[in-house]
């Protein structure tokens, strides 16, 4: 199974492998022309992804430097903002002694975060893992050759699943697995959630995702926790 739960390889984001584009849904040209923002143009943002499909520099698997891994959904990927304004890039600027990797992927879930960390293991020499948990109702479905990101709000769940307790339990299981991975690989985990992301009023990206100031606020929360130990 593609991107299966197997330790020892970095999973890919197939749709974004070597992406180099001014647009990446839902930040698309059609939406922007319907709702233009004066601080942005059609070419002011570039989505550049590495050979694994992440909006981050190419991985150096031979590096001995410790790393900080940043995981989450489109809020972490940086949909709607320049790459240098996304919160993982601000972490990279603040801690140059670390290899800081943005492993966020748009539309992903808590399942995606745990699977990515399980697959990656210690290949990137992680010492700190920063998680911005996506919307709680999202999860992954697995097919023979791909993984499908979805949400209970898409209408595919059985009625008995459409209750908060089901997804609260799923989030607790994912967090328990993160704790076990952190113990196994000896890294520190710092958690926040998109529900509590310090979004600044009227600060939006080129689409409707949080803008640069909200990303800066998020980065400061992580930075203060890293510094305080």
């Amino acid at each position: 199974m593609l991107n299966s739960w197997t330790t020892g390889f970095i999973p890919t984001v197939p749709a974004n492998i070597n992406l180099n584009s001014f647009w990446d849904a839902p930040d698309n040209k059609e939406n922007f022309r319907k709702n233009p923002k004066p601080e942005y143009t059609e070419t002011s943002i570039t989505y550049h992804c590495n050979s694994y499909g992440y909006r981050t520099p190419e991985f150096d698997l031979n590096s001995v430097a410790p790393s900080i891994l940043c995981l989450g959904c489109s809020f972490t990927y940086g949909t709607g903002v320049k790459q240098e304004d996304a919160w993982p890039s601000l972490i990279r600027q603040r801690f140059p002694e670390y290899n800081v990797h943005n492993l966020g992927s748009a539309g992903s879930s808590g399942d995606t975060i745990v699977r990515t960390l399980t697959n990656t293991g210690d290949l990137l020499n992680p010492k700190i893992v920063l998680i911005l948990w996506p919307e709680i109702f999202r999860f992954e479905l697995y097919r023979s050759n791909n993984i499908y990101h979805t949400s209970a709000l898409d209408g595919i769940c059985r009625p008995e699943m459409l209750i908060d307790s089901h997804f609260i339990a799923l989030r607790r299981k994912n967090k328990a697995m993160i704790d076990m991975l952190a113990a196994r690989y000896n890294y520190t985990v710092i958690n926040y959630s998109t529900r509590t992301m310090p979004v600044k009023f009227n600060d939006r990206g080129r689409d409707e995702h949080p803008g640069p100031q909200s990303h800066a606020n998020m980065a400061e929360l992580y930075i203060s926790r890293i510094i305080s130990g």
Side-chain angles (χ1 to χ4, degrees):
M1 179 189 291
L2 182 68
N3 287 354
S4 62
W5 292 70
T6 304
T7 300
F9 72 98
I10 300 173
T12 62
V13 183
N16 282 9
I17 290 175
N18 293 323
L19 176 69
N20 190 18
S21 173
F22 294 126
W23 306 101
D24 193 9
D27 179 25
N28 58 60
K29 185 183 298 186
E30 291 74 22
N31 288 340
F32 179 69
R33 288 180 174 177
K34 291 177 183 177
N35 185 28
K37 294 184 174 70
E39 63 270 37
Y40 294 100
T41 70
E42 293 188 4
T43 60
S44 61
I45 295 175
T46 299
Y47 294 95
H48 177 74
C49 295
N50 66 17
S51 61
Y52 290 82
Y54 296 101
R55 199 181 184 195
T56 200
E58 199 63 53
F59 303 125
D60 179 4
L61 299 182
N62 295 316
S63 175
V64 297
S67 70
I68 298 175
L69 306 184
C70 307
L71 297 104
C73 58
S74 54
F75 286 31
T76 299
Y77 176 75
T79 299
V81 299
K82 297 178 181 179
Q83 183 165 339
E84 59 266 28
D85 290 332
W87 69 262
S89 296
L90 302 178
I91 300 294
R92 182 179 300 113
Q93 294 172 22
R94 181 61 177 80
F95 299 103
E97 68 273 26
Y98 287 88
N99 290 322
V100 179
H101 304 297
N102 183 349
L103 299 183
S105 57
S108 62
S109 65
D111 290 345
T112 314
I113 290 171
V114 183
R115 176 177 54 81
T116 301
L117 288 173
T118 299
N119 291 162
T120 304
D122 59 357
L123 288 178
L124 297 173
N125 193 23
K127 298 303 177 187
I128 301 172
V129 171
L130 308 180
I131 297 175
L132 185 59
W133 290 99
E135 170 56 50
I136 197 170
F137 295 107
R138 292 181 183 175
F139 56 97
E140 291 187 337
L141 293 177
Y142 309 102
R143 297 171 176 169
S144 59
N145 61 351
N146 66 4
I147 292 173
Y148 178 61
H149 303 286
T150 191
S151 167
L153 305 181
D154 293 340
I156 66 168
C157 289
R158 296 174 54 155
E160 59 266 31
M161 291 178 63
L162 296 176
I163 55 176
D164 286 353
S165 58
H166 176 86
F167 295 97
I168 291 171
L170 177 60
R171 179 56 52 84
R172 287 174 177 169
K173 286 190 288 185
N174 281 333
K175 287 186 174 180
M177 293 177 69
I178 293 294
D179 289 342
M180 289 187 286
L181 289 168
R184 178 177 182 181
Y185 296 114
N186 193 30
Y187 51 67
T188 299
V189 179
I190 301 175
N191 297 274
Y192 285 102
S193 166
T194 56
R195 290 192 177 189
T196 57
M197 183 177 181
V199 176
K200 182 177 174 60
F201 182 69
N202 283 339
D203 174 54
R204 293 293 173 185
R206 190 168 60 180
D207 66 346
E208 292 307 307
H209 278 82
Q213 185 57 56
S214 300
H215 278 268
N217 293 345
M218 192 71 248
E220 282 304 314
L221 288 179
Y222 285 118
I223 289 169
S224 64
R225 291 276 300 278
I226 293 171
I227 292 174
S228 65

